Amino acid sequence: MPDVEMTIQVAQDRKVTAIEIAPLGQTPQRLVLALDELDKLIGELGNARSRMVEGQSPPDFESDDVTISTAANTKWHIRAFPPAGALLAFYHPKFGPVGFTLPRDQIARIISFLTDRFILQPTQSAEKH
């Protein structure tokens, strides 16, 4: 695949985004998308990426080399699906609503981890006792 120049601009009124793509040295092709169209494109790109990494091992999250797109202080929702597990959904500013499902054993590991770190371990106090 040839090298490609790409620019993405959001309109001042934030109602559309313009994407220009051009192989090096060629005239760019311009695509103007509303938010729902951009969401659909992001979803289709996600589907394509999913097919491209099929069969590959997921990244090692213990490694410092892994970049994670973090969403802080976001709206989130948990829905239980007994006995199978639960859905954890949240709003990611880059990708919109996203979520994942967890089986019972992974939920138990998360609860154990959080309990150990935040409930059973005393918090550090600035005061000396």
Side-chain angles (χ1 to χ4, degrees), residues 42-64:
I42 290 168
E44 291 299 322
L45 289 170
N47 290 339
R49 185 185 190 289
S50 179
R51 287 191 306 271
M52 291 175 76
V53 299
E54 212 169 87
Q56 294 181 19
S57 297
D60 175 11
F61 285 103
E62 302 291 327
S63 168
D64 290 335

PDB file of all heavy atoms in Angstrom, residues 42-64:
ATOM      1  N   ILE A  42     -16.188   4.651  12.048  1.00  0.00           N
ATOM      2  CA  ILE A  42     -15.349   4.139  13.132  1.00  0.00           C
ATOM      3  C   ILE A  42     -15.691   2.675  13.411  1.00  0.00           C
ATOM      4  O   ILE A  42     -14.802   1.841  13.582  1.00  0.00           O
ATOM      5  CB  ILE A  42     -15.505   5.002  14.405  1.00  0.00           C
ATOM      6  CG1 ILE A  42     -14.859   6.375  14.186  1.00  0.00           C
ATOM      7  CG2 ILE A  42     -14.887   4.309  15.625  1.00  0.00           C
ATOM      8  CD1 ILE A  42     -15.192   7.395  15.263  1.00  0.00           C
ATOM      9  N   GLY A  43     -16.985   2.346  13.420  1.00  0.00           N
ATOM     10  CA  GLY A  43     -17.402   0.960  13.630  1.00  0.00           C
ATOM     11  C   GLY A  43     -16.896   0.037  12.538  1.00  0.00           C
ATOM     12  O   GLY A  43     -16.398  -1.061  12.807  1.00  0.00           O
ATOM     13  N   GLU A  44     -17.011   0.477  11.279  1.00  0.00           N
ATOM     14  CA  GLU A  44     -16.537  -0.344  10.155  1.00  0.00           C
ATOM     15  C   GLU A  44     -15.023  -0.487  10.174  1.00  0.00           C
ATOM     16  O   GLU A  44     -14.487  -1.554   9.867  1.00  0.00           O
ATOM     17  CB  GLU A  44     -17.012   0.246   8.817  1.00  0.00           C
ATOM     18  CG  GLU A  44     -18.514   0.139   8.601  1.00  0.00           C
ATOM     19  CD  GLU A  44     -19.016  -1.293   8.593  1.00  0.00           C
ATOM     20  OE1 GLU A  44     -18.328  -2.187   8.059  1.00  0.00           O
ATOM     21  OE2 GLU A  44     -20.120  -1.524   9.140  1.00  0.00           O
ATOM     22  N   LEU A  45     -14.309   0.578  10.551  1.00  0.00           N
ATOM     23  CA  LEU A  45     -12.844   0.480  10.686  1.00  0.00           C
ATOM     24  C   LEU A  45     -12.486  -0.484  11.807  1.00  0.00           C
ATOM     25  O   LEU A  45     -11.524  -1.256  11.693  1.00  0.00           O
ATOM     26  CB  LEU A  45     -12.230   1.858  10.944  1.00  0.00           C
ATOM     27  CG  LEU A  45     -12.238   2.828   9.762  1.00  0.00           C
ATOM     28  CD1 LEU A  45     -11.830   4.226  10.218  1.00  0.00           C
ATOM     29  CD2 LEU A  45     -11.343   2.329   8.637  1.00  0.00           C
ATOM     30  N   GLY A  46     -13.261  -0.453  12.896  1.00  0.00           N
ATOM     31  CA  GLY A  46     -13.046  -1.402  13.988  1.00  0.00           C
ATOM     32  C   GLY A  46     -13.249  -2.837  13.525  1.00  0.00           C
ATOM     33  O   GLY A  46     -12.482  -3.740  13.895  1.00  0.00           O
ATOM     34  N   ASN A  47     -14.286  -3.065  12.696  1.00  0.00           N
ATOM     35  CA  ASN A  47     -14.517  -4.409  12.146  1.00  0.00           C
ATOM     36  C   ASN A  47     -13.339  -4.843  11.271  1.00  0.00           C
ATOM     37  O   ASN A  47     -12.887  -5.995  11.345  1.00  0.00           O
ATOM     38  CB  ASN A  47     -15.808  -4.448  11.329  1.00  0.00           C
ATOM     39  CG  ASN A  47     -17.044  -4.328  12.192  1.00  0.00           C
ATOM     40  OD1 ASN A  47     -17.025  -4.591  13.389  1.00  0.00           O
ATOM     41  ND2 ASN A  47     -18.141  -3.900  11.585  1.00  0.00           N
ATOM     42  N   ALA A  48     -12.832  -3.925  10.456  1.00  0.00           N
ATOM     43  CA  ALA A  48     -11.692  -4.247   9.591  1.00  0.00           C
ATOM     44  C   ALA A  48     -10.461  -4.566  10.430  1.00  0.00           C
ATOM     45  O   ALA A  48      -9.747  -5.543  10.176  1.00  0.00           O
ATOM     46  CB  ALA A  48     -11.405  -3.082   8.637  1.00  0.00           C
ATOM     47  N   ARG A  49     -10.219  -3.750  11.469  1.00  0.00           N
ATOM     48  CA  ARG A  49      -9.073  -3.995  12.346  1.00  0.00           C
ATOM     49  C   ARG A  49      -9.205  -5.349  13.024  1.00  0.00           C
ATOM     50  O   ARG A  49      -8.237  -6.099  13.149  1.00  0.00           O
ATOM     51  CB  ARG A  49      -8.955  -2.883  13.389  1.00  0.00           C
ATOM     52  CG  ARG A  49      -7.708  -3.037  14.229  1.00  0.00           C
ATOM     53  CD  ARG A  49      -7.640  -2.012  15.351  1.00  0.00           C
ATOM     54  NE  ARG A  49      -6.346  -2.038  15.988  1.00  0.00           N
ATOM     55  CZ  ARG A  49      -5.909  -3.036  16.769  1.00  0.00           C
ATOM     56  NH1 ARG A  49      -6.681  -4.080  17.017  1.00  0.00           N
ATOM     57  NH2 ARG A  49      -4.705  -2.995  17.293  1.00  0.00           N
ATOM     58  N   SER A  50     -10.398  -5.672  13.461  1.00  0.00           N
ATOM     59  CA  SER A  50     -10.643  -6.953  14.115  1.00  0.00           C
ATOM     60  C   SER A  50     -10.287  -8.124  13.195  1.00  0.00           C
ATOM     61  O   SER A  50      -9.666  -9.093  13.621  1.00  0.00           O
ATOM     62  CB  SER A  50     -12.111  -7.034  14.539  1.00  0.00           C
ATOM     63  OG  SER A  50     -12.395  -8.261  15.143  1.00  0.00           O
ATOM     64  N   ARG A  51     -10.653  -8.012  11.937  1.00  0.00           N
ATOM     65  CA  ARG A  51     -10.311  -9.068  10.972  1.00  0.00           C
ATOM     66  C   ARG A  51      -8.803  -9.134  10.738  1.00  0.00           C
ATOM     67  O   ARG A  51      -8.238 -10.209  10.570  1.00  0.00           O
ATOM     68  CB  ARG A  51     -11.055  -8.849   9.657  1.00  0.00           C
ATOM     69  CG  ARG A  51     -12.545  -9.161   9.752  1.00  0.00           C
ATOM     70  CD  ARG A  51     -13.223  -9.205   8.395  1.00  0.00           C
ATOM     71  NE  ARG A  51     -13.036  -8.021   7.593  1.00  0.00           N
ATOM     72  CZ  ARG A  51     -13.824  -6.943   7.610  1.00  0.00           C
ATOM     73  NH1 ARG A  51     -14.858  -6.900   8.403  1.00  0.00           N
ATOM     74  NH2 ARG A  51     -13.570  -5.917   6.825  1.00  0.00           N
ATOM     75  N   MET A  52      -8.133  -7.972  10.732  1.00  0.00           N
ATOM     76  CA  MET A  52      -6.688  -7.939  10.478  1.00  0.00           C
ATOM     77  C   MET A  52      -5.887  -8.586  11.606  1.00  0.00           C
ATOM     78  O   MET A  52      -4.839  -9.168  11.351  1.00  0.00           O
ATOM     79  CB  MET A  52      -6.216  -6.498  10.261  1.00  0.00           C
ATOM     80  CG  MET A  52      -6.732  -5.887   8.969  1.00  0.00           C
ATOM     81  SD  MET A  52      -6.284  -4.139   8.823  1.00  0.00           S
ATOM     82  CE  MET A  52      -4.555  -4.285   8.382  1.00  0.00           C
ATOM     83  N   VAL A  53      -6.359  -8.479  12.844  1.00  0.00           N
ATOM     84  CA  VAL A  53      -5.604  -9.028  13.980  1.00  0.00           C
ATOM     85  C   VAL A  53      -6.098 -10.417  14.379  1.00  0.00           C
ATOM     86  O   VAL A  53      -5.591 -10.994  15.349  1.00  0.00           O
ATOM     87  CB  VAL A  53      -5.639  -8.082  15.205  1.00  0.00           C
ATOM     88  CG1 VAL A  53      -5.005  -6.746  14.866  1.00  0.00           C
ATOM     89  CG2 VAL A  53      -7.042  -7.897  15.745  1.00  0.00           C
ATOM     90  N   GLU A  54      -7.057 -10.943  13.630  1.00  0.00           N
ATOM     91  CA  GLU A  54      -7.584 -12.279  13.927  1.00  0.00           C
ATOM     92  C   GLU A  54      -6.443 -13.295  13.985  1.00  0.00           C
ATOM     93  O   GLU A  54      -5.585 -13.340  13.111  1.00  0.00           O
ATOM     94  CB  GLU A  54      -8.563 -12.685  12.815  1.00  0.00           C
ATOM     95  CG  GLU A  54      -9.687 -13.551  13.265  1.00  0.00           C
ATOM     96  CD  GLU A  54     -10.733 -13.664  12.175  1.00  0.00           C
ATOM     97  OE1 GLU A  54     -10.595 -14.559  11.312  1.00  0.00           O
ATOM     98  OE2 GLU A  54     -11.657 -12.835  12.177  1.00  0.00           O
ATOM     99  N   GLY A  55      -6.406 -14.078  15.049  1.00  0.00           N
ATOM    100  CA  GLY A  55      -5.383 -15.101  15.217  1.00  0.00           C
ATOM    101  C   GLY A  55      -4.120 -14.601  15.903  1.00  0.00           C
ATOM    102  O   GLY A  55      -3.264 -15.400  16.268  1.00  0.00           O
ATOM    103  N   GLN A  56      -3.974 -13.296  16.060  1.00  0.00           N
ATOM    104  CA  GLN A  56      -2.804 -12.749  16.760  1.00  0.00           C
ATOM    105  C   GLN A  56      -3.082 -12.745  18.262  1.00  0.00           C
ATOM    106  O   GLN A  56      -4.221 -12.632  18.698  1.00  0.00           O
ATOM    107  CB  GLN A  56      -2.505 -11.323  16.299  1.00  0.00           C
ATOM    108  CG  GLN A  56      -2.075 -11.207  14.867  1.00  0.00           C
ATOM    109  CD  GLN A  56      -1.771  -9.746  14.495  1.00  0.00           C
ATOM    110  OE1 GLN A  56      -1.543  -8.904  15.349  1.00  0.00           O
ATOM    111  NE2 GLN A  56      -1.774  -9.475  13.200  1.00  0.00           N
ATOM    112  N   SER A  57      -2.029 -12.840  19.039  1.00  0.00           N
ATOM    113  CA  SER A  57      -2.164 -12.755  20.489  1.00  0.00           C
ATOM    114  C   SER A  57      -2.456 -11.318  20.875  1.00  0.00           C
ATOM    115  O   SER A  57      -1.888 -10.394  20.295  1.00  0.00           O
ATOM    116  CB  SER A  57      -0.876 -13.202  21.176  1.00  0.00           C
ATOM    117  OG  SER A  57      -0.612 -14.547  20.887  1.00  0.00           O
ATOM    118  N   PRO A  58      -3.321 -11.118  21.869  1.00  0.00           N
ATOM    119  CA  PRO A  58      -3.550  -9.748  22.337  1.00  0.00           C
ATOM    120  C   PRO A  58      -2.293  -9.197  22.996  1.00  0.00           C
ATOM    121  O   PRO A  58      -1.408  -9.958  23.394  1.00  0.00           O
ATOM    122  CB  PRO A  58      -4.695  -9.889  23.343  1.00  0.00           C
ATOM    123  CG  PRO A  58      -4.761 -11.330  23.695  1.00  0.00           C
ATOM    124  CD  PRO A  58      -4.108 -12.101  22.594  1.00  0.00           C
ATOM    125  N   PRO A  59      -2.191  -7.871  23.109  1.00  0.00           N
ATOM    126  CA  PRO A  59      -0.986  -7.286  23.712  1.00  0.00           C
ATOM    127  C   PRO A  59      -0.841  -7.680  25.178  1.00  0.00           C
ATOM    128  O   PRO A  59      -1.816  -8.010  25.844  1.00  0.00           O
ATOM    129  CB  PRO A  59      -1.201  -5.782  23.567  1.00  0.00           C
ATOM    130  CG  PRO A  59      -2.659  -5.601  23.362  1.00  0.00           C
ATOM    131  CD  PRO A  59      -3.175  -6.861  22.747  1.00  0.00           C
ATOM    132  N   ASP A  60       0.388  -7.617  25.647  1.00  0.00           N
ATOM    133  CA  ASP A  60       0.696  -7.894  27.048  1.00  0.00           C
ATOM    134  C   ASP A  60       0.468  -6.615  27.840  1.00  0.00           C
ATOM    135  O   ASP A  60       1.282  -5.691  27.807  1.00  0.00           O
ATOM    136  CB  ASP A  60       2.147  -8.355  27.174  1.00  0.00           C
ATOM    137  CG  ASP A  60       2.582  -8.556  28.615  1.00  0.00           C
ATOM    138  OD1 ASP A  60       1.723  -8.539  29.520  1.00  0.00           O
ATOM    139  OD2 ASP A  60       3.793  -8.714  28.838  1.00  0.00           O
ATOM    140  N   PHE A  61      -0.641  -6.549  28.559  1.00  0.00           N
ATOM    141  CA  PHE A  61      -0.993  -5.330  29.289  1.00  0.00           C
ATOM    142  C   PHE A  61      -0.075  -5.066  30.475  1.00  0.00           C
ATOM    143  O   PHE A  61      -0.115  -3.987  31.051  1.00  0.00           O
ATOM    144  CB  PHE A  61      -2.455  -5.372  29.743  1.00  0.00           C
ATOM    145  CG  PHE A  61      -3.417  -5.137  28.614  1.00  0.00           C
ATOM    146  CD1 PHE A  61      -4.103  -6.183  28.035  1.00  0.00           C
ATOM    147  CD2 PHE A  61      -3.606  -3.867  28.121  1.00  0.00           C
ATOM    148  CE1 PHE A  61      -4.980  -5.967  26.985  1.00  0.00           C
ATOM    149  CE2 PHE A  61      -4.474  -3.638  27.069  1.00  0.00           C
ATOM    150  CZ  PHE A  61      -5.165  -4.684  26.493  1.00  0.00           C
ATOM    151  N   GLU A  62       0.748  -6.025  30.829  1.00  0.00           N
ATOM    152  CA  GLU A  62       1.734  -5.823  31.898  1.00  0.00           C
ATOM    153  C   GLU A  62       2.925  -5.016  31.384  1.00  0.00           C
ATOM    154  O   GLU A  62       3.685  -4.469  32.164  1.00  0.00           O
ATOM    155  CB  GLU A  62       2.221  -7.171  32.427  1.00  0.00           C
ATOM    156  CG  GLU A  62       1.119  -8.071  32.969  1.00  0.00           C
ATOM    157  CD  GLU A  62       0.501  -7.537  34.254  1.00  0.00           C
ATOM    158  OE1 GLU A  62       1.219  -6.913  35.047  1.00  0.00           O
ATOM    159  OE2 GLU A  62      -0.710  -7.746  34.443  1.00  0.00           O
ATOM    160  N   SER A  63       3.080  -4.935  30.072  1.00  0.00           N
ATOM    161  CA  SER A  63       4.216  -4.254  29.458  1.00  0.00           C
ATOM    162  C   SER A  63       3.994  -2.746  29.425  1.00  0.00           C
ATOM    163  O   SER A  63       2.881  -2.272  29.218  1.00  0.00           O
ATOM    164  CB  SER A  63       4.402  -4.767  28.028  1.00  0.00           C
ATOM    165  OG  SER A  63       5.298  -3.946  27.312  1.00  0.00           O
ATOM    166  N   ASP A  64       5.070  -1.989  29.609  1.00  0.00           N
ATOM    167  CA  ASP A  64       4.998  -0.536  29.504  1.00  0.00           C
ATOM    168  C   ASP A  64       4.906  -0.081  28.050  1.00  0.00           C
ATOM    169  O   ASP A  64       4.677   1.105  27.785  1.00  0.00           O
ATOM    170  CB  ASP A  64       6.222   0.107  30.160  1.00  0.00           C
ATOM    171  CG  ASP A  64       6.208  -0.044  31.675  1.00  0.00           C
ATOM    172  OD1 ASP A  64       5.107  -0.194  32.246  1.00  0.00           O
ATOM    173  OD2 ASP A  64       7.297  -0.007  32.280  1.00  0.00           O
TER     174      ASP A  64
END
